[in-house]
Amino acid sequence: MKGCLIQMQNILIGGAWPYANGPLHIGHIASLLPGDVLARYFRARGDCVYYVSGSDCHGTPITIRARQEGCTPQEVSNRYHAEFCEVFEKLGFSFDRYGKTSSEEHKHFVRKFHQTMYKSSLIEQREAPQAVCLHCGVLTDRLVTGACPFCGEAARGDQCDSCGAVLEVEQLQDAHCAQCGATIEFRQSSQLYLALTRLLPELTDLLESHPGWRKNAVAFTRRYLDEGLRDRAITRDLDWGIDVPKAGYEHKKIYIWAENVLGYLSMSEAVCRERGADFLALWGTEARHYYVHGKDNIPFHTVILPALLLAYGDAGSKALHLPDEIISSEYMTLEGRRISTSQNWAVWAKDLTIHYQPDAIRYFFLANGPERRDADFSPREFAERINGELVGAYGNLIHRALAFLQRYGAGKVPDAAIDPEIRNRITGLFPLAGERIEKGRFKDALTALMELARFGNRYFDAGKPWITRTKAPDACAKTLFNCIQLIGNLAVLLRPFLPFSSDRVIGWLGLQKTWEPQRITGGFQLPKTEPLFHRIELPE
């Protein structure tokens, strides 16, 4: 998308950046799909959308895998980045820009951003403890393990996966080297710090001014603020990452958490450059910003990203737009168990795209995703939902009505009056579904749309066109005309969720893709059509 015909509002949609140290699994897909629904909806509404994301190519997980495989971190991240792009394309993710943190455009932007931010009074140089193993040398925070000081569970030096706490390595209890198990020691090293503690009032205001954030985002963020923020190092003694743009720090890198979230800015700047658009307008007061991610990424979007933006503004630059909407999913489990890539307990997204239609995958993870509570995936439930809902309700309505017209009506839409009830249902669903999408209530929107499909099947059955075809042709024409109106409008309404099948129906019926009620005129000649969805064989 190179530009917008009608600019109503600038909409930034940031999808979380997956680590390029392993394949995408169903948890990634479930948490990120809502971003594409938002992007497609706002485009259909006529807004100017900037839907951006990318692969997180720096950090210790990638260097660990590179060491294990005997290659470079760049080779590892490039390989998985290519796989991510392939999966996202097959599933219909409509990014305006999907980049990677190792790209020159991202690194250049981050260095420029940091150079400005270092002028802020919130950036301080301090002596900080650096973890060192006598056997393995200097350790990154993820290579230090121990007990979380908050919940007591096993944790890494940067984050506790059990309670979600963002940690500093020196906070760990019983800290030891994750590679060899040896006890570590700490040596002092000069680093740059972001004084998060001084941003508590601004971050509290941000939270309290957004009561509509999802409950997990509100709860997590409030806990971080109530427990007391800690100033955090934004540089580290690393070999793989973005160089620190400051004299005396030539052998250090920008800490990953202080550069990966800036990808929303670097990629949206790239889109603005392509479109000839104003980057500062996109990041100004009149824009609307959505961030779409999983539960474990909440603090990076409600605390870390706003803090970096505030520090940049404190340096004397124009204030940048803080997050508006936090679309934070809960966890996706697999047959009742937490997904674990280390234990190979996962369903890989690439495998799903090989075996199933993209709209079937999208439908399941949007209708059964972890929107407000944990959700589970099992092969049987996947098959049952697709067969019963996508094939049995929506697909059935389309096939039976179009096939009937092809067989008995020479493929032409009959000329009749629209049923007032159907007109009211259609016109009422556009604002209803739109409001639910904008508020991040994707399941509720999809439920309402699928109910219209079920209503369409009931309407078809009640009209009995197989009988009225010969006994009451006008009644038959009315039934089929109204079913076609339902089908065409459902295709437009469902397009943010099911773009592949919707585009086929929209093409068959000669419709527009704008978010408004559509009308198919009598006499319209249908092309040859075929069933949209395949039934899935139930597992033994």
Side-chain angles (χ1 to χ4, degrees), residues 136-445:
C136 303
V138 173
L139 300 176
T140 60
D141 291 353
R142 287 182 69 93
L143 288 179
V144 180
T145 58
C148 173
F150 300 106
C151 71
E153 297 294 322
R156 302 185 307 270
D158 61 346
Q159 185 174 354
C160 175
D161 289 338
S162 296
C163 70
V166 178
L167 304 174
E168 294 288 354
V169 65
E170 65 270 20
Q171 292 179 276
L172 283 181
Q173 299 169 357
D174 188 28
H176 53 275
C177 175
Q179 298 182 107
C180 71
T183 301
I184 65 170
E185 62 181 47
F186 290 99
R187 299 174 186 172
Q188 293 301 105
S189 176
S190 180
Q191 305 292 352
L192 295 178
Y193 269 70
L194 171 59
L196 283 174
T197 51
R198 290 163 52 193
L199 288 171
L200 180 60
E202 291 88 345
L203 295 173
T204 301
D205 286 345
L206 176 65
L207 173 64
E208 292 180 349
S209 63
H210 291 87
W213 284 358
R214 288 186 175 175
K215 290 182 179 179
N216 59 5
V218 172
F220 263 61
T221 307
R222 187 165 298 285
R223 195 191 76 191
Y224 281 111
L225 300 180
D226 290 348
E227 289 179 353
L229 295 173
R230 289 173 57 91
D231 298 342
R232 286 178 57 85
I234 60 174
T235 61
R236 269 293 186 259
D237 296 324
L238 301 169
D239 297 323
W240 174 239
I242 300 177
D243 295 335
V244 179
K246 183 176 176 63
Y249 283 75
E250 290 81 3
H251 301 293
K252 300 178 188 292
K253 305 293 183 185
I254 297 173
Y255 208 170
I256 185 172
W257 69 265
E259 58 97 347
N260 52 12
V261 292
L262 296 180
Y264 301 122
L265 289 87
S266 66
M267 292 302 106
S268 60
E269 183 191 57
V271 178
C272 287
R273 189 165 56 247
E274 289 178 353
R275 296 178 180 176
D278 185 354
F279 173 75
L280 291 180
L282 174 62
W283 286 87
T285 57
E286 299 304 313
R288 187 175 181 185
H289 289 195
Y290 283 81
Y291 294 95
V292 182
H293 48 81
K295 184 177 185 177
D296 53 348
N297 275 323
I298 289 171
F300 297 102
H301 294 86
T302 63
V303 175
I304 299 302
L305 174 61
L308 292 170
L309 298 175
L310 289 166
Y312 182 85
D314 181 71
S317 296
K318 183 176 179 180
L320 298 176
H321 196 94
L322 299 181
D324 292 308
E325 308 293 340
I326 299 295
I327 309 298
S328 45
S329 297
E330 296 286 342
Y331 291 125
M332 193 83 208
T333 58
L334 173 58
E335 296 186 344
R337 288 172 51 191
R338 180 89 173 265
I339 292 172
S340 172
T341 56
S342 62
Q343 298 177 22
N344 200 31
W345 185 251
V347 172
W348 306 112
K350 185 176 181 180
D351 293 337
L352 282 181
T353 65
I354 293 172
H355 297 291
Y356 303 107
Q357 292 177 285
D359 275 353
I361 299 169
R362 289 175 67 106
Y363 181 80
F364 180 84
F365 288 111
L366 288 165
N368 190 55
E371 187 172 296
R372 297 184 183 277
R373 61 179 63 88
D374 291 354
D376 191 59
F377 176 91
S378 71
R380 174 166 290 276
E381 184 173 4
F382 177 70
E384 288 177 346
R385 293 204 73 150
I386 298 307
N387 294 343
E389 299 171 18
L390 197 58
V391 179
Y394 180 50
N396 183 50
L397 171 64
I398 295 172
H399 180 62
R400 68 197 305 204
L402 298 187
F404 192 97
L405 280 176
Q406 296 281 13
R407 184 173 182 181
Y408 299 112
K412 286 189 176 181
V413 176
D415 195 4
I418 191 166
D419 187 305
E421 181 183 7
I422 287 179
R423 182 183 60 243
N424 292 338
R425 283 178 179 263
I426 289 171
T427 56
L429 260 184
F430 277 92
L432 175 68
E435 180 184 18
R436 291 179 178 181
I437 291 171
E438 290 184 39
K439 291 183 177 180
R441 295 167 53 195
F442 306 100
K443 282 187 178 182
D444 289 346

Side-chain angles (χ1 to χ4, degrees), residues 27-208:
H28 294 114
I29 301 306
S31 65
L32 294 177
L33 266 174
D36 189 63
V37 176
L38 286 164
R40 290 177 178 275
Y41 161 73
F42 279 113
R43 290 192 194 108
R45 210 184 67 162
D47 290 306
C48 221
V49 173
Y50 297 77
Y51 179 28
V52 297
S53 184
S55 302
D56 195 349
C57 295
H58 298 133
T60 305
I62 293 166
T63 59
I64 292 174
R65 182 173 283 273
R67 192 179 304 120
Q68 292 170 342
E69 297 182 0
C71 59
T72 67
Q74 186 76 59
E75 290 171 328
V76 169
S77 59
N78 282 348
R79 182 170 76 247
Y80 286 112
H81 172 72
E83 181 179 316
F84 295 174
C85 290
E86 179 184 353
V87 168
F88 287 134
E89 181 178 4
K90 286 183 176 180
L91 289 176
F93 280 75
S94 58
F95 295 114
D96 293 301
R97 189 78 164 199
Y98 185 84
K100 54 183 179 179
T101 57
S102 59
S103 68
E104 286 304 317
E105 66 182 356
H106 175 74
K107 291 191 288 187
H108 174 75
F109 181 91
V110 168
R111 286 193 292 264
K112 184 173 61 175
F113 184 98
H114 272 246
Q115 278 182 323
T116 299
M117 186 174 67
Y118 295 166
K119 300 173 185 176
S120 168
S121 62
L122 296 166
I123 304 299
E124 302 172 354
Q125 180 172 300
R126 303 179 188 176
E127 291 296 307
Q130 171 71 62
V132 178
C133 172
L134 297 180
H135 301 285
C136 303
V138 173
L139 300 176
T140 60
D141 291 353
R142 287 182 69 93
L143 288 179
V144 180
T145 58
C148 173
F150 300 106
C151 71
E153 297 294 322
R156 302 185 307 270
D158 61 346
Q159 185 174 354
C160 175
D161 289 338
S162 296
C163 70
V166 178
L167 304 174
E168 294 288 354
V169 65
E170 65 270 20
Q171 292 179 276
L172 283 181
Q173 299 169 357
D174 188 28
H176 53 275
C177 175
Q179 298 182 107
C180 71
T183 301
I184 65 170
E185 62 181 47
F186 290 99
R187 299 174 186 172
Q188 293 301 105
S189 176
S190 180
Q191 305 292 352
L192 295 178
Y193 269 70
L194 171 59
L196 283 174
T197 51
R198 290 163 52 193
L199 288 171
L200 180 60
E202 291 88 345
L203 295 173
T204 301
D205 286 345
L206 176 65
L207 173 64
E208 292 180 349

Side-chain angles (χ1 to χ4, degrees), residues 510-525:
L511 301 176
Q512 301 296 315
K513 297 175 181 178
T514 52
W515 193 261
E516 59 186 352
Q518 311 271 324
R519 187 178 189 276
I520 302 92
T521 58
F524 181 85
Q525 181 66 54

